[in-house]
Amino acid sequence: MMETWDQMKERHRQERYKLVAQFSKNTTKTEAAKELKMSLQALNNFAKRNNIYWWVIKQGQRSEKT
């Protein structure tokens, strides 16, 4: 049996949530946004909307380019 449109939308929502939640445990928001090819603002909004706590915070640190 094929999934309905609503079932597909819900599955995609859950997949996005799981993916962002994985990133929240071991990368910064900036790194995650780059990896997911989305803006930092969109990632922040998604995390806030879905109550995803970001564990890795490196505020104000910039990586040195060599």
Side-chain angles (χ1 to χ4, degrees), residues 27-36 38 40 43-44 54:
T27 61
T28 65
K29 285 183 182 177
T30 303
E31 293 167 341
K34 287 178 184 178
E35 188 71 26
L36 295 169
M38 65 189 303
L40 182 57
L43 179 60
N44 283 329
W54 220 268

Side-chain angles (χ1 to χ4, degrees), residues 5-52:
W5 183 257
D6 289 336
Q7 289 170 330
M8 183 178 66
K9 284 180 14 182
E10 178 61 21
R11 180 175 50 84
H12 286 177
R13 188 193 67 75
Q14 289 175 0
E15 288 172 357
R16 286 191 307 269
Y17 177 88
K18 288 177 185 175
L19 183 62
V20 172
Q22 275 183 309
F23 274 104
S24 74
K25 293 177 182 155
N26 57 18
T27 61
T28 65
K29 285 183 182 177
T30 303
E31 293 167 341
K34 287 178 184 178
E35 188 71 26
L36 295 169
K37 295 181 174 49
M38 65 189 303
S39 71
L40 182 57
Q41 183 177 7
L43 179 60
N44 283 329
N45 290 338
F46 183 87
K48 185 175 182 178
R49 234 181 6 256
N50 291 284
N51 296 317
I52 298 174

